[in-house]
């Protein structure tokens, strides 16, 4: 993690779940952070939100002594944006809202400002439709919570320039993240598409009565989840082929997969099935409070992340 002066100061537009988490991480990395949101209780919410994140930042190795020193709460959007090198936008996931917002932001921003949206589904080409210079805008999609999860998907719009993508990558790397630049726009980007594909089969298996949610979760976190925390699916199967690598894997086992693909479920998410899923998930997990489950999750994720980082391993290698 290396603070990079060319990205200072940063403006956060929209300080909800994602904006607050980004703000905490930017501050921990030494950046001046201006926060803009329409919320009446903005200052209280942001400071309280960052306070809740502080212990995780400490666990990640950040010195949080002066965490709030470079935090600026700015209700005036013009003042918040003027002079910012980076704008990380985290407003509501709504096309019209984002298009109008970017039209305004562009008017207030300096010429060299880079616009990054946390959008989890609306592509940059749509969001930037009303911009005069859409080449300086792209998606910088985090995985929640951004202060903890390493991945950021950088997704260009049709007009995004190469230099914007390179700067976005450098910026996220300066925060210790693992940014990946996608080669083109696609609905849901990559991580959420993979999650949706796997979850489709999870829902099918539970609705079919093959396995209950807690046991399915154990299947995942004791096997493919663990494997994929270390190496992704392609490297895992490269190794699954022994000395013959991916080629042997494909010829031996991989080529049979289409048979299984044909058999995968396409569950209907009608009201009856949704209620059935809610009932079985509550049966397995309803006895423990969400707060405790969240604390356990954060503790486990932090251990995995810290262990890989402390061994000097780069998630991208
Ligand atoms: N929550 C997630 O898991 C997640 C993950 C990745 C990406 N995202 C994306 O991040 C973005 C924000 O999501 P969130 O979950 O933080 O939403 P959120 O509802 O928690 O926060 C949105 C914030 O935007 C503010 N806002 C509304 N109008 C505004 C305006 N005109 N100017 C400034 N601020 C305004 C709201 O007051 C609110 O604080 C979305 O684009 C979403 O798709 C969310």
């Amino acid at each position: 993690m290396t603070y990079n002066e060319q990205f200072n100061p940063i403006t956060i537009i929209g300080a909800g779940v994602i904006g607050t988490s980004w703000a905490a991480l930017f501050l921990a990395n030494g950046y001046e952070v201006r926060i803009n949101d329409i919320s009446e209780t903005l200052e209280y919410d942001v400071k309280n939100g960052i306070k809740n994140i502080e212990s995780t930042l400490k666990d990640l190795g950040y010195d949080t002594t002066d965490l709030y020193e470079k935090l600026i709460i700015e209700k005036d959007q013009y003042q918040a944006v003027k002079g910012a090198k980076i704008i990380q936008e985290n407003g509501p996931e709504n096309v019209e809202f984002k298009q109008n917002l970017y039209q305004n932001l562009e008017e207030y921003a300096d010429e060299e400002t880079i616009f990054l949206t946390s959008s989890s589904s609306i592509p940059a080409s749509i969001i930037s439709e009303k911009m005069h210079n859409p080449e300086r805008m792209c998606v910088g999609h985090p995985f929640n919570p951004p202060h903890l999860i390493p991945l950021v998907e950088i997704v260009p719009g049709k007009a995004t320039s190469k230099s914007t993508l390179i700067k976005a990558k450098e910026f996220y790397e300066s925060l210790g993240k693992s940014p990946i630049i996608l080669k083109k726009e696609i609905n849901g980007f990559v991580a959420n598409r993979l999650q949706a594909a796997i979850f489709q089969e999870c829902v099918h298996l539970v609705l079919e009565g093959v396995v209950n949610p807690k046991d399915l979760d154990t299947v995942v976190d004791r096997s493919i989840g663990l494997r994929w925390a270390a190496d992704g699916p392609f490297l895992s199967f490269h190794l699954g082929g022994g000395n013959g690598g991916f080629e042997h894997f494909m010829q031996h086992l991989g080529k049979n997969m289409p048979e299984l693909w044909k058999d995968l479920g396409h569950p209907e998410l009608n009201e009856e099935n949704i209620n059935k899923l809610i009932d079985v998930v509550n049966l397995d997990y309803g006895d423990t409070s969400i707060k405790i489950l969240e604390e356990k999750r954060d503790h486990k994720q932090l251990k995995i992340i810290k262990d890989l980082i402390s061994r000097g391993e780069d998630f991208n290698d």
Side-chain angles (χ1 to χ4, degrees), residues 13-19 36-39 77 89-93 97-98 101 118-121 141-144:
I13 305 284
V17 175
I18 297 299
N36 173 263
D37 193 301
I38 51 166
S39 164
Q77 203 163 78
E89 172 270 315
N90 322 276
E93 190 75 351
F97 168 83
K98 290 209 195 269
L101 177 72
S118 295
S119 164
S120 49
S121 59
H141 173 237
F143 237 49
N144 191 32

Side-chain angles (χ1 to χ4, degrees), residues 22-42:
W22 271 135
L25 183 73
F26 298 163
L27 288 166
N29 279 279
Y31 289 103
E32 176 185 311
V33 178
R34 297 120 168 237
I35 299 203
N36 173 263
D37 193 301
I38 51 166
S39 164
E40 294 290 323
T41 52
L42 179 60

